[in-house]
Amino acid sequence: MAVTSMANSSIRDFQKFNSMAGPFSSGPFAVSYVVIAGGGGAGGTSSAVSYRPGSGGAGGYRSNVAGENSGGGNSAESALALAKGVYTVTVGAPGGGSSASGSNGSDSVFGAVSCSGGGGGGRGDNTGTAGLAGGSGGGGGAAVSGSSGGSGTSGEGFAGRASPAGGSGAAASGGGAGALAAAGTSLTGPGGVGVASGITGSSITRAIGGARASSPVDGATNSGNGGDSESDAASSTGKNGGSGVVIFSLPLQAIAIFSAGVTQTSAVVGSNRVYTVTATSTTDETVTVA
């Protein structure tokens, strides 16, 4: 006989769960992650003789996904297991492009895993400025004597290229998480390559260094890409970097509860649920693993 009412049941207390799948577990839970910081903004110029500015460096890239690479030419980081508890999650904002030197992107954080924002590109003029250090370094702005690229962070990305001496010659592209930008003296050129990951079920390359381009673009949202610089203009403002992203997977029996300022989506991939955090409103946002 079907039960149609529990008004007189001896069961008094019920507990509601936001999500639940599979058998309960006390943890710790095996976690895979890809954490990428915001990309650096490109530099600009107001020089009448077209001193070319440097492009932005990619945001720092860290991953422990088995069989994939982390940033800076490293293999995947060590396996991670998280106990039930509360963990910080922060998505790094992009660095701003400028008519002077570009600014660095902001750091991304997932628990104890932190990545540095990409370095801003250097200003192009008769003295120029160096690219800024970051997860991957920004490219140096063109100058009479050249200028250096910013250094990258070990395990996260590569340095930006230095601009060659010669004043109005080519400036330098930003470093990528996967490699240095190619050396060269042409006015246009790509940034350093990024790193591919299939953690979401499809392979996507992120954290690409900013290019030197005749039609420059901002770094894509949630890519960690560096902003492009204008390759041949007497006056230009560099493009913004791309915002970062935090992606992690948990076994289906684990529950993830996010604080109010977190924007995220999730999908089941194999025996795990993969969470993609695309924005955080403060640096105090959290995820509770239960």
Side-chain angles (χ1 to χ4, degrees), residues 242-268:
S243 55
V245 69
V246 173
I247 307 170
F248 65 95
S249 67
L250 285 168
L252 291 175
Q253 65 266 31
I255 300 169
I257 304 167
F258 295 88
S259 58
V262 175
T263 301
Q264 60 86 27
T265 59
S266 67
V268 175

Side-chain angles (χ1 to χ4, degrees), residues 140-259:
V144 173
S145 58
S147 62
S148 60
S151 60
T153 301
S154 177
E156 297 185 19
F158 286 84
R161 281 288 182 182
S163 66
S168 58
S173 297
L180 284 164
T185 58
S186 61
L187 295 181
T188 61
V193 300
V195 180
S197 175
I199 188 172
T200 60
S202 301
S203 182
I204 300 175
T205 299
R206 305 176 179 87
I208 302 167
R212 311 184 310 279
S214 57
S215 298
V217 297
D218 293 335
T221 302
N222 300 130
S223 68
N225 293 350
D228 291 350
S229 60
E230 180 82 32
S231 62
D232 189 17
S235 178
S236 67
T237 298
K239 294 298 183 177
N240 301 325
S243 55
V245 69
V246 173
I247 307 170
F248 65 95
S249 67
L250 285 168
L252 291 175
Q253 65 266 31
I255 300 169
I257 304 167
F258 295 88
S259 58

